[in-house]
Amino acid sequence: MLTFCVCLVVLVASYFLYGGLLSRVARLNGEAEVPSKTMYDGVDYMPLPRWRIFLIQLLNIAGTGPIFGAILGACYGPVAFLWITLGGIFMGAMHDFLAGVISLRNGGKSLPETIGKYLGGGVRKFSLVVIPILMVLVGGVFIVTPSKILASMTDIPYLWWVGIVIAYYFVATIMPVDKIIGKIYPLFGAALILMALAMFGVVVFGDYSVPELTSLDNMHYNAANLPIVPTLFISIACGAISGFHATQSPLMARCMTSETQARPIFFGAMISESIIALIWAAVAMAFFGGVEGLNGWMQANGNDAGLAVSTISVTTLGAIGSILALLGVVAAPITSGDTAFRSARLIVADMLNFDQRPIWRRLVVSLPLFAVGVGIAFIDFDIIWRYFAWSNQALSVLTLWMITAWLMRRRSRASWLALIPAMIMTYICTSFVFVSDQFVGMGACFMAYVYGGVVTAIVSGLFMLKICKDVKEGAPI
């Protein structure tokens, strides 16, 4: 349990140490004007209390990611603790914090708009196509997941649940942010934290043994086809780094009342998510009697992380556990699903400069998005999910390069804090293309990693040429 405890302490300490450093790098100004005041519209731009925004942000970025992803990542062994901790601090928290600050200082603009400002019009156009599709994809996936679970637990047919979930998504997407999201999400966010605390109690006080990190060996039952680099870094996204988070930050940037709230809301929510992921990775390894036992159970049960959550929760916590499991596998994806659709609405509205105060304008934007989302709900879930994980991390690459550009335009000596993660994640995503059978399928051979390195060098060089040119020409910050 020493490895787990050290990682937990490091994550908590990072909020004060690395979070403080990044706050100084960003030069947060508590007196600066914020969008919730200068652009108030009573729908998306409106001030909310800091504690409420934090819980909403945590739930928006989490979903089932830090639970399901952590369990799947735990199959690789205690090396997962290392990625959750270091990735969560130096990649994920930095990514979420600075992307949130950039949106806050650009009028709460959505991610494609800020990417376009700092990486160029061509990347903006690409983002305006890809990111809304990704958001609708998330929404569609999270129509399927909770509907299947609820259908299995009740006598209500699956299609009825699909209709109910879609109806809820639609209402939550078009209503002002303080009506449903602002009232219900803090409760579910608190429940997510309570669930993690309960599992922490199971690990610490239960009769379980958490494996220690003694090597970087790949302990996955399918290690030959799923190498740690790059597959672990794709499997554990939420909890380490996830591009989806940067699409959610503008929603909350429009509700903040001071720049100084960025650290607890953006950095703090990401560190909280990493802690949740760390706890679930530890629980998964401990509950099934070690990494080998976890792998055996997952292999026998079709890698069903949702079933693992239910089994662990009910066995260790009884009736309370079943309630917590329900919140984890049903409420969490539903809340991420509807904010994904809301984010898609705002991206399209920003692109068209389409005022969202009149409800009919929100309907005009939302209806086509939901039509696509409903269609996705009837596509083979496994096919959708296989490509979503990579797309999500590819989005984090664009966000990291945007942050690098922002820091370099400010002529910050701390630009390398984003540049190094940007290059690492570029390599993770490009090497995955060559290694994984989802794409080229070369396997974990030497040349697959070489090709990944070559593409990374080309992509990094092109981005740096663009960024340096803009800096030289004095592009606006």
PDB file of all heavy atoms in Angstrom, residues 161-197:
ATOM      1  N   TRP A 161     -36.024   3.627 -22.160  1.00  0.00           N
ATOM      2  CA  TRP A 161     -34.979   4.334 -21.421  1.00  0.00           C
ATOM      3  C   TRP A 161     -34.199   5.259 -22.343  1.00  0.00           C
ATOM      4  O   TRP A 161     -33.812   6.371 -21.947  1.00  0.00           O
ATOM      5  CB  TRP A 161     -34.034   3.344 -20.743  1.00  0.00           C
ATOM      6  CG  TRP A 161     -34.563   2.800 -19.454  1.00  0.00           C
ATOM      7  CD1 TRP A 161     -34.856   1.499 -19.153  1.00  0.00           C
ATOM      8  CD2 TRP A 161     -34.880   3.553 -18.272  1.00  0.00           C
ATOM      9  NE1 TRP A 161     -35.330   1.386 -17.875  1.00  0.00           N
ATOM     10  CE2 TRP A 161     -35.356   2.634 -17.300  1.00  0.00           C
ATOM     11  CE3 TRP A 161     -34.811   4.906 -17.939  1.00  0.00           C
ATOM     12  CZ2 TRP A 161     -35.758   3.031 -16.035  1.00  0.00           C
ATOM     13  CZ3 TRP A 161     -35.218   5.310 -16.670  1.00  0.00           C
ATOM     14  CH2 TRP A 161     -35.673   4.387 -15.730  1.00  0.00           C
ATOM     15  N   VAL A 162     -33.936   4.818 -23.576  1.00  0.00           N
ATOM     16  CA  VAL A 162     -33.268   5.682 -24.550  1.00  0.00           C
ATOM     17  C   VAL A 162     -34.060   6.975 -24.726  1.00  0.00           C
ATOM     18  O   VAL A 162     -33.500   8.080 -24.718  1.00  0.00           O
ATOM     19  CB  VAL A 162     -33.102   4.963 -25.906  1.00  0.00           C
ATOM     20  CG1 VAL A 162     -32.681   5.952 -26.993  1.00  0.00           C
ATOM     21  CG2 VAL A 162     -32.066   3.841 -25.797  1.00  0.00           C
ATOM     22  N   GLY A 163     -35.376   6.841 -24.871  1.00  0.00           N
ATOM     23  CA  GLY A 163     -36.232   8.012 -25.034  1.00  0.00           C
ATOM     24  C   GLY A 163     -36.206   8.926 -23.821  1.00  0.00           C
ATOM     25  O   GLY A 163     -36.156  10.164 -23.956  1.00  0.00           O
ATOM     26  N   ILE A 164     -36.207   8.341 -22.632  1.00  0.00           N
ATOM     27  CA  ILE A 164     -36.185   9.127 -21.399  1.00  0.00           C
ATOM     28  C   ILE A 164     -34.867   9.888 -21.267  1.00  0.00           C
ATOM     29  O   ILE A 164     -34.851  11.082 -20.937  1.00  0.00           O
ATOM     30  CB  ILE A 164     -36.407   8.205 -20.176  1.00  0.00           C
ATOM     31  CG1 ILE A 164     -37.834   7.644 -20.183  1.00  0.00           C
ATOM     32  CG2 ILE A 164     -36.142   8.958 -18.865  1.00  0.00           C
ATOM     33  CD1 ILE A 164     -38.071   6.529 -19.188  1.00  0.00           C
ATOM     34  N   VAL A 165     -33.758   9.205 -21.525  1.00  0.00           N
ATOM     35  CA  VAL A 165     -32.444   9.837 -21.409  1.00  0.00           C
ATOM     36  C   VAL A 165     -32.308  10.967 -22.431  1.00  0.00           C
ATOM     37  O   VAL A 165     -31.821  12.061 -22.106  1.00  0.00           O
ATOM     38  CB  VAL A 165     -31.312   8.796 -21.596  1.00  0.00           C
ATOM     39  CG1 VAL A 165     -29.953   9.488 -21.695  1.00  0.00           C
ATOM     40  CG2 VAL A 165     -31.316   7.800 -20.446  1.00  0.00           C
ATOM     41  N   ILE A 166     -32.739  10.729 -23.662  1.00  0.00           N
ATOM     42  CA  ILE A 166     -32.665  11.763 -24.700  1.00  0.00           C
ATOM     43  C   ILE A 166     -33.497  12.978 -24.309  1.00  0.00           C
ATOM     44  O   ILE A 166     -33.067  14.128 -24.482  1.00  0.00           O
ATOM     45  CB  ILE A 166     -33.127  11.207 -26.064  1.00  0.00           C
ATOM     46  CG1 ILE A 166     -32.098  10.201 -26.598  1.00  0.00           C
ATOM     47  CG2 ILE A 166     -33.330  12.334 -27.071  1.00  0.00           C
ATOM     48  CD1 ILE A 166     -32.566   9.445 -27.829  1.00  0.00           C
ATOM     49  N   ALA A 167     -34.710  12.734 -23.783  1.00  0.00           N
ATOM     50  CA  ALA A 167     -35.576  13.833 -23.365  1.00  0.00           C
ATOM     51  C   ALA A 167     -34.905  14.675 -22.274  1.00  0.00           C
ATOM     52  O   ALA A 167     -34.937  15.913 -22.314  1.00  0.00           O
ATOM     53  CB  ALA A 167     -36.910  13.281 -22.868  1.00  0.00           C
ATOM     54  N   TYR A 168     -34.275  13.993 -21.325  1.00  0.00           N
ATOM     55  CA  TYR A 168     -33.575  14.722 -20.262  1.00  0.00           C
ATOM     56  C   TYR A 168     -32.427  15.529 -20.851  1.00  0.00           C
ATOM     57  O   TYR A 168     -32.228  16.704 -20.509  1.00  0.00           O
ATOM     58  CB  TYR A 168     -33.046  13.759 -19.201  1.00  0.00           C
ATOM     59  CG  TYR A 168     -32.030  14.419 -18.297  1.00  0.00           C
ATOM     60  CD1 TYR A 168     -32.436  15.329 -17.320  1.00  0.00           C
ATOM     61  CD2 TYR A 168     -30.658  14.190 -18.471  1.00  0.00           C
ATOM     62  CE1 TYR A 168     -31.508  15.984 -16.526  1.00  0.00           C
ATOM     63  CE2 TYR A 168     -29.729  14.843 -17.686  1.00  0.00           C
ATOM     64  CZ  TYR A 168     -30.152  15.727 -16.709  1.00  0.00           C
ATOM     65  OH  TYR A 168     -29.233  16.372 -15.934  1.00  0.00           O
ATOM     66  N   TYR A 169     -31.624  14.896 -21.727  1.00  0.00           N
ATOM     67  CA  TYR A 169     -30.505  15.591 -22.356  1.00  0.00           C
ATOM     68  C   TYR A 169     -30.982  16.863 -23.054  1.00  0.00           C
ATOM     69  O   TYR A 169     -30.351  17.923 -22.947  1.00  0.00           O
ATOM     70  CB  TYR A 169     -29.827  14.688 -23.397  1.00  0.00           C
ATOM     71  CG  TYR A 169     -28.875  13.657 -22.844  1.00  0.00           C
ATOM     72  CD1 TYR A 169     -28.684  13.505 -21.476  1.00  0.00           C
ATOM     73  CD2 TYR A 169     -28.159  12.830 -23.693  1.00  0.00           C
ATOM     74  CE1 TYR A 169     -27.809  12.558 -20.982  1.00  0.00           C
ATOM     75  CE2 TYR A 169     -27.272  11.883 -23.210  1.00  0.00           C
ATOM     76  CZ  TYR A 169     -27.110  11.746 -21.862  1.00  0.00           C
ATOM     77  OH  TYR A 169     -26.237  10.806 -21.381  1.00  0.00           O
ATOM     78  N   PHE A 170     -32.069  16.735 -23.773  1.00  0.00           N
ATOM     79  CA  PHE A 170     -32.562  17.858 -24.569  1.00  0.00           C
ATOM     80  C   PHE A 170     -32.957  19.026 -23.664  1.00  0.00           C
ATOM     81  O   PHE A 170     -32.573  20.171 -23.915  1.00  0.00           O
ATOM     82  CB  PHE A 170     -33.754  17.425 -25.420  1.00  0.00           C
ATOM     83  CG  PHE A 170     -34.180  18.451 -26.424  1.00  0.00           C
ATOM     84  CD1 PHE A 170     -33.457  18.643 -27.590  1.00  0.00           C
ATOM     85  CD2 PHE A 170     -35.285  19.260 -26.193  1.00  0.00           C
ATOM     86  CE1 PHE A 170     -33.834  19.603 -28.514  1.00  0.00           C
ATOM     87  CE2 PHE A 170     -35.667  20.225 -27.105  1.00  0.00           C
ATOM     88  CZ  PHE A 170     -34.940  20.397 -28.272  1.00  0.00           C
ATOM     89  N   VAL A 171     -33.702  18.727 -22.615  1.00  0.00           N
ATOM     90  CA  VAL A 171     -34.132  19.784 -21.693  1.00  0.00           C
ATOM     91  C   VAL A 171     -32.932  20.432 -21.017  1.00  0.00           C
ATOM     92  O   VAL A 171     -32.832  21.665 -20.941  1.00  0.00           O
ATOM     93  CB  VAL A 171     -35.112  19.213 -20.638  1.00  0.00           C
ATOM     94  CG1 VAL A 171     -35.429  20.270 -19.577  1.00  0.00           C
ATOM     95  CG2 VAL A 171     -36.399  18.741 -21.307  1.00  0.00           C
ATOM     96  N   ALA A 172     -31.988  19.601 -20.526  1.00  0.00           N
ATOM     97  CA  ALA A 172     -30.810  20.140 -19.829  1.00  0.00           C
ATOM     98  C   ALA A 172     -29.935  20.971 -20.758  1.00  0.00           C
ATOM     99  O   ALA A 172     -29.289  21.932 -20.318  1.00  0.00           O
ATOM    100  CB  ALA A 172     -30.000  19.000 -19.225  1.00  0.00           C
ATOM    101  N   THR A 173     -29.909  20.624 -22.041  1.00  0.00           N
ATOM    102  CA  THR A 173     -29.068  21.327 -23.004  1.00  0.00           C
ATOM    103  C   THR A 173     -29.584  22.721 -23.319  1.00  0.00           C
ATOM    104  O   THR A 173     -28.799  23.653 -23.504  1.00  0.00           O
ATOM    105  CB  THR A 173     -28.954  20.512 -24.312  1.00  0.00           C
ATOM    106  OG1 THR A 173     -28.330  19.266 -24.025  1.00  0.00           O
ATOM    107  CG2 THR A 173     -28.143  21.241 -25.371  1.00  0.00           C
ATOM    108  N   ILE A 174     -30.889  22.890 -23.380  1.00  0.00           N
ATOM    109  CA  ILE A 174     -31.441  24.183 -23.791  1.00  0.00           C
ATOM    110  C   ILE A 174     -31.823  25.080 -22.612  1.00  0.00           C
ATOM    111  O   ILE A 174     -31.995  26.282 -22.789  1.00  0.00           O
ATOM    112  CB  ILE A 174     -32.672  24.006 -24.717  1.00  0.00           C
ATOM    113  CG1 ILE A 174     -33.825  23.320 -23.979  1.00  0.00           C
ATOM    114  CG2 ILE A 174     -32.284  23.222 -25.971  1.00  0.00           C
ATOM    115  CD1 ILE A 174     -35.115  23.281 -24.771  1.00  0.00           C
ATOM    116  N   MET A 175     -31.926  24.513 -21.412  1.00  0.00           N
ATOM    117  CA  MET A 175     -32.298  25.320 -20.254  1.00  0.00           C
ATOM    118  C   MET A 175     -31.106  26.142 -19.764  1.00  0.00           C
ATOM    119  O   MET A 175     -29.950  25.771 -19.966  1.00  0.00           O
ATOM    120  CB  MET A 175     -32.793  24.422 -19.122  1.00  0.00           C
ATOM    121  CG  MET A 175     -34.134  23.762 -19.392  1.00  0.00           C
ATOM    122  SD  MET A 175     -35.505  24.948 -19.371  1.00  0.00           S
ATOM    123  CE  MET A 175     -35.645  25.249 -17.611  1.00  0.00           C
ATOM    124  N   PRO A 176     -31.364  27.288 -19.102  1.00  0.00           N
ATOM    125  CA  PRO A 176     -30.270  28.055 -18.500  1.00  0.00           C
ATOM    126  C   PRO A 176     -29.438  27.183 -17.560  1.00  0.00           C
ATOM    127  O   PRO A 176     -29.965  26.260 -16.928  1.00  0.00           O
ATOM    128  CB  PRO A 176     -31.003  29.169 -17.739  1.00  0.00           C
ATOM    129  CG  PRO A 176     -32.275  29.359 -18.506  1.00  0.00           C
ATOM    130  CD  PRO A 176     -32.665  27.980 -18.965  1.00  0.00           C
ATOM    131  N   VAL A 177     -28.160  27.481 -17.467  1.00  0.00           N
ATOM    132  CA  VAL A 177     -27.226  26.605 -16.759  1.00  0.00           C
ATOM    133  C   VAL A 177     -27.555  26.452 -15.279  1.00  0.00           C
ATOM    134  O   VAL A 177     -27.210  25.450 -14.646  1.00  0.00           O
ATOM    135  CB  VAL A 177     -25.782  27.124 -16.947  1.00  0.00           C
ATOM    136  CG1 VAL A 177     -25.560  28.447 -16.205  1.00  0.00           C
ATOM    137  CG2 VAL A 177     -24.770  26.085 -16.523  1.00  0.00           C
ATOM    138  N   ASP A 178     -28.243  27.434 -14.696  1.00  0.00           N
ATOM    139  CA  ASP A 178     -28.529  27.356 -13.265  1.00  0.00           C
ATOM    140  C   ASP A 178     -29.805  26.582 -12.941  1.00  0.00           C
ATOM    141  O   ASP A 178     -30.093  26.325 -11.775  1.00  0.00           O
ATOM    142  CB  ASP A 178     -28.631  28.762 -12.669  1.00  0.00           C
ATOM    143  CG  ASP A 178     -29.800  29.562 -13.237  1.00  0.00           C
ATOM    144  OD1 ASP A 178     -30.171  29.311 -14.412  1.00  0.00           O
ATOM    145  OD2 ASP A 178     -30.335  30.423 -12.528  1.00  0.00           O
ATOM    146  N   LYS A 179     -30.570  26.178 -13.957  1.00  0.00           N
ATOM    147  CA  LYS A 179     -31.870  25.552 -13.700  1.00  0.00           C
ATOM    148  C   LYS A 179     -31.765  24.064 -13.387  1.00  0.00           C
ATOM    149  O   LYS A 179     -32.359  23.584 -12.428  1.00  0.00           O
ATOM    150  CB  LYS A 179     -32.805  25.768 -14.904  1.00  0.00           C
ATOM    151  CG  LYS A 179     -33.094  27.229 -15.216  1.00  0.00           C
ATOM    152  CD  LYS A 179     -33.668  27.956 -14.008  1.00  0.00           C
ATOM    153  CE  LYS A 179     -33.978  29.418 -14.334  1.00  0.00           C
ATOM    154  NZ  LYS A 179     -34.405  30.164 -13.136  1.00  0.00           N
ATOM    155  N   ILE A 180     -31.049  23.314 -14.208  1.00  0.00           N
ATOM    156  CA  ILE A 180     -30.909  21.867 -13.987  1.00  0.00           C
ATOM    157  C   ILE A 180     -29.475  21.535 -13.603  1.00  0.00           C
ATOM    158  O   ILE A 180     -29.226  20.965 -12.539  1.00  0.00           O
ATOM    159  CB  ILE A 180     -31.333  21.078 -15.245  1.00  0.00           C
ATOM    160  CG1 ILE A 180     -32.825  21.274 -15.520  1.00  0.00           C
ATOM    161  CG2 ILE A 180     -31.014  19.593 -15.071  1.00  0.00           C
ATOM    162  CD1 ILE A 180     -33.329  20.560 -16.749  1.00  0.00           C
ATOM    163  N   ILE A 181     -28.532  21.927 -14.468  1.00  0.00           N
ATOM    164  CA  ILE A 181     -27.124  21.632 -14.207  1.00  0.00           C
ATOM    165  C   ILE A 181     -26.679  22.249 -12.887  1.00  0.00           C
ATOM    166  O   ILE A 181     -26.019  21.601 -12.068  1.00  0.00           O
ATOM    167  CB  ILE A 181     -26.246  22.126 -15.367  1.00  0.00           C
ATOM    168  CG1 ILE A 181     -26.541  21.299 -16.629  1.00  0.00           C
ATOM    169  CG2 ILE A 181     -24.768  22.052 -15.021  1.00  0.00           C
ATOM    170  CD1 ILE A 181     -25.841  21.785 -17.869  1.00  0.00           C
ATOM    171  N   GLY A 182     -27.047  23.490 -12.659  1.00  0.00           N
ATOM    172  CA  GLY A 182     -26.621  24.186 -11.448  1.00  0.00           C
ATOM    173  C   GLY A 182     -27.228  23.648 -10.174  1.00  0.00           C
ATOM    174  O   GLY A 182     -26.676  23.829  -9.085  1.00  0.00           O
ATOM    175  N   LYS A 183     -28.374  22.977 -10.278  1.00  0.00           N
ATOM    176  CA  LYS A 183     -29.056  22.464  -9.084  1.00  0.00           C
ATOM    177  C   LYS A 183     -28.786  20.979  -8.840  1.00  0.00           C
ATOM    178  O   LYS A 183     -28.570  20.555  -7.695  1.00  0.00           O
ATOM    179  CB  LYS A 183     -30.564  22.707  -9.205  1.00  0.00           C
ATOM    180  CG  LYS A 183     -30.971  24.168  -9.029  1.00  0.00           C
ATOM    181  CD  LYS A 183     -32.491  24.317  -9.082  1.00  0.00           C
ATOM    182  CE  LYS A 183     -32.917  25.715  -8.633  1.00  0.00           C
ATOM    183  NZ  LYS A 183     -32.382  26.782  -9.469  1.00  0.00           N
ATOM    184  N   ILE A 184     -28.801  20.171  -9.888  1.00  0.00           N
ATOM    185  CA  ILE A 184     -28.686  18.717  -9.717  1.00  0.00           C
ATOM    186  C   ILE A 184     -27.230  18.248  -9.703  1.00  0.00           C
ATOM    187  O   ILE A 184     -26.857  17.386  -8.903  1.00  0.00           O
ATOM    188  CB  ILE A 184     -29.450  17.984 -10.843  1.00  0.00           C
ATOM    189  CG1 ILE A 184     -30.949  18.310 -10.765  1.00  0.00           C
ATOM    190  CG2 ILE A 184     -29.246  16.478 -10.750  1.00  0.00           C
ATOM    191  CD1 ILE A 184     -31.761  17.709 -11.888  1.00  0.00           C
ATOM    192  N   TYR A 185     -26.400  18.844 -10.536  1.00  0.00           N
ATOM    193  CA  TYR A 185     -25.028  18.353 -10.681  1.00  0.00           C
ATOM    194  C   TYR A 185     -24.206  18.403  -9.394  1.00  0.00           C
ATOM    195  O   TYR A 185     -23.438  17.480  -9.123  1.00  0.00           O
ATOM    196  CB  TYR A 185     -24.308  19.131 -11.784  1.00  0.00           C
ATOM    197  CG  TYR A 185     -24.586  18.608 -13.166  1.00  0.00           C
ATOM    198  CD1 TYR A 185     -25.848  18.132 -13.489  1.00  0.00           C
ATOM    199  CD2 TYR A 185     -23.615  18.588 -14.145  1.00  0.00           C
ATOM    200  CE1 TYR A 185     -26.119  17.653 -14.745  1.00  0.00           C
ATOM    201  CE2 TYR A 185     -23.876  18.107 -15.416  1.00  0.00           C
ATOM    202  CZ  TYR A 185     -25.136  17.648 -15.709  1.00  0.00           C
ATOM    203  OH  TYR A 185     -25.403  17.169 -16.951  1.00  0.00           O
ATOM    204  N   PRO A 186     -24.327  19.487  -8.597  1.00  0.00           N
ATOM    205  CA  PRO A 186     -23.563  19.476  -7.346  1.00  0.00           C
ATOM    206  C   PRO A 186     -23.901  18.282  -6.449  1.00  0.00           C
ATOM    207  O   PRO A 186     -23.019  17.751  -5.763  1.00  0.00           O
ATOM    208  CB  PRO A 186     -23.967  20.799  -6.681  1.00  0.00           C
ATOM    209  CG  PRO A 186     -24.294  21.690  -7.827  1.00  0.00           C
ATOM    210  CD  PRO A 186     -24.978  20.788  -8.823  1.00  0.00           C
ATOM    211  N   LEU A 187     -25.141  17.842  -6.477  1.00  0.00           N
ATOM    212  CA  LEU A 187     -25.534  16.681  -5.671  1.00  0.00           C
ATOM    213  C   LEU A 187     -24.855  15.419  -6.185  1.00  0.00           C
ATOM    214  O   LEU A 187     -24.309  14.625  -5.407  1.00  0.00           O
ATOM    215  CB  LEU A 187     -27.060  16.508  -5.700  1.00  0.00           C
ATOM    216  CG  LEU A 187     -27.884  17.665  -5.120  1.00  0.00           C
ATOM    217  CD1 LEU A 187     -29.368  17.407  -5.317  1.00  0.00           C
ATOM    218  CD2 LEU A 187     -27.566  17.838  -3.635  1.00  0.00           C
ATOM    219  N   PHE A 188     -24.874  15.225  -7.502  1.00  0.00           N
ATOM    220  CA  PHE A 188     -24.223  14.053  -8.088  1.00  0.00           C
ATOM    221  C   PHE A 188     -22.695  14.135  -7.935  1.00  0.00           C
ATOM    222  O   PHE A 188     -22.022  13.123  -7.757  1.00  0.00           O
ATOM    223  CB  PHE A 188     -24.593  13.912  -9.567  1.00  0.00           C
ATOM    224  CG  PHE A 188     -25.997  13.424  -9.789  1.00  0.00           C
ATOM    225  CD1 PHE A 188     -26.756  13.898 -10.843  1.00  0.00           C
ATOM    226  CD2 PHE A 188     -26.566  12.481  -8.947  1.00  0.00           C
ATOM    227  CE1 PHE A 188     -28.049  13.442 -11.055  1.00  0.00           C
ATOM    228  CE2 PHE A 188     -27.857  12.020  -9.151  1.00  0.00           C
ATOM    229  CZ  PHE A 188     -28.607  12.502 -10.201  1.00  0.00           C
ATOM    230  N   GLY A 189     -22.150  15.362  -8.026  1.00  0.00           N
ATOM    231  CA  GLY A 189     -20.723  15.541  -7.825  1.00  0.00           C
ATOM    232  C   GLY A 189     -20.307  15.149  -6.417  1.00  0.00           C
ATOM    233  O   GLY A 189     -19.286  14.478  -6.206  1.00  0.00           O
ATOM    234  N   ALA A 190     -21.122  15.559  -5.446  1.00  0.00           N
ATOM    235  CA  ALA A 190     -20.853  15.176  -4.065  1.00  0.00           C
ATOM    236  C   ALA A 190     -20.963  13.666  -3.893  1.00  0.00           C
ATOM    237  O   ALA A 190     -20.179  13.050  -3.152  1.00  0.00           O
ATOM    238  CB  ALA A 190     -21.827  15.892  -3.133  1.00  0.00           C
ATOM    239  N   ALA A 191     -21.930  13.047  -4.596  1.00  0.00           N
ATOM    240  CA  ALA A 191     -22.099  11.593  -4.514  1.00  0.00           C
ATOM    241  C   ALA A 191     -20.879  10.869  -5.096  1.00  0.00           C
ATOM    242  O   ALA A 191     -20.449   9.828  -4.581  1.00  0.00           O
ATOM    243  CB  ALA A 191     -23.364  11.172  -5.258  1.00  0.00           C
ATOM    244  N   LEU A 192     -20.304  11.430  -6.172  1.00  0.00           N
ATOM    245  CA  LEU A 192     -19.107  10.834  -6.788  1.00  0.00           C
ATOM    246  C   LEU A 192     -17.938  10.853  -5.807  1.00  0.00           C
ATOM    247  O   LEU A 192     -17.196   9.878  -5.675  1.00  0.00           O
ATOM    248  CB  LEU A 192     -18.742  11.602  -8.060  1.00  0.00           C
ATOM    249  CG  LEU A 192     -17.587  11.050  -8.908  1.00  0.00           C
ATOM    250  CD1 LEU A 192     -17.940   9.698  -9.494  1.00  0.00           C
ATOM    251  CD2 LEU A 192     -17.228  12.042 -10.020  1.00  0.00           C
ATOM    252  N   ILE A 193     -17.803  11.972  -5.067  1.00  0.00           N
ATOM    253  CA  ILE A 193     -16.750  12.080  -4.062  1.00  0.00           C
ATOM    254  C   ILE A 193     -17.008  11.108  -2.916  1.00  0.00           C
ATOM    255  O   ILE A 193     -16.084  10.435  -2.431  1.00  0.00           O
ATOM    256  CB  ILE A 193     -16.663  13.531  -3.542  1.00  0.00           C
ATOM    257  CG1 ILE A 193     -16.200  14.465  -4.668  1.00  0.00           C
ATOM    258  CG2 ILE A 193     -15.714  13.621  -2.348  1.00  0.00           C
ATOM    259  CD1 ILE A 193     -16.246  15.940  -4.297  1.00  0.00           C
ATOM    260  N   LEU A 194     -18.273  11.021  -2.485  1.00  0.00           N
ATOM    261  CA  LEU A 194     -18.639  10.104  -1.401  1.00  0.00           C
ATOM    262  C   LEU A 194     -18.343   8.659  -1.789  1.00  0.00           C
ATOM    263  O   LEU A 194     -17.846   7.860  -0.977  1.00  0.00           O
ATOM    264  CB  LEU A 194     -20.121  10.269  -1.058  1.00  0.00           C
ATOM    265  CG  LEU A 194     -20.660   9.371   0.071  1.00  0.00           C
ATOM    266  CD1 LEU A 194     -19.949   9.679   1.383  1.00  0.00           C
ATOM    267  CD2 LEU A 194     -22.169   9.574   0.225  1.00  0.00           C
ATOM    268  N   MET A 195     -18.623   8.324  -3.032  1.00  0.00           N
ATOM    269  CA  MET A 195     -18.352   6.980  -3.541  1.00  0.00           C
ATOM    270  C   MET A 195     -16.854   6.676  -3.466  1.00  0.00           C
ATOM    271  O   MET A 195     -16.443   5.588  -3.035  1.00  0.00           O
ATOM    272  CB  MET A 195     -18.848   6.878  -4.978  1.00  0.00           C
ATOM    273  CG  MET A 195     -18.749   5.487  -5.597  1.00  0.00           C
ATOM    274  SD  MET A 195     -19.271   5.549  -7.333  1.00  0.00           S
ATOM    275  CE  MET A 195     -19.361   3.812  -7.736  1.00  0.00           C
ATOM    276  N   ALA A 196     -16.034   7.656  -3.871  1.00  0.00           N
ATOM    277  CA  ALA A 196     -14.586   7.471  -3.828  1.00  0.00           C
ATOM    278  C   ALA A 196     -14.090   7.337  -2.394  1.00  0.00           C
ATOM    279  O   ALA A 196     -13.216   6.506  -2.091  1.00  0.00           O
ATOM    280  CB  ALA A 196     -13.890   8.641  -4.523  1.00  0.00           C
ATOM    281  N   LEU A 197     -14.644   8.140  -1.482  1.00  0.00           N
ATOM    282  CA  LEU A 197     -14.247   8.064  -0.079  1.00  0.00           C
ATOM    283  C   LEU A 197     -14.604   6.707   0.523  1.00  0.00           C
ATOM    284  O   LEU A 197     -13.839   6.140   1.322  1.00  0.00           O
ATOM    285  CB  LEU A 197     -14.904   9.195   0.722  1.00  0.00           C
ATOM    286  CG  LEU A 197     -14.384  10.607   0.447  1.00  0.00           C
ATOM    287  CD1 LEU A 197     -15.207  11.638   1.200  1.00  0.00           C
ATOM    288  CD2 LEU A 197     -12.908  10.730   0.842  1.00  0.00           C
TER     289      LEU A 197
END
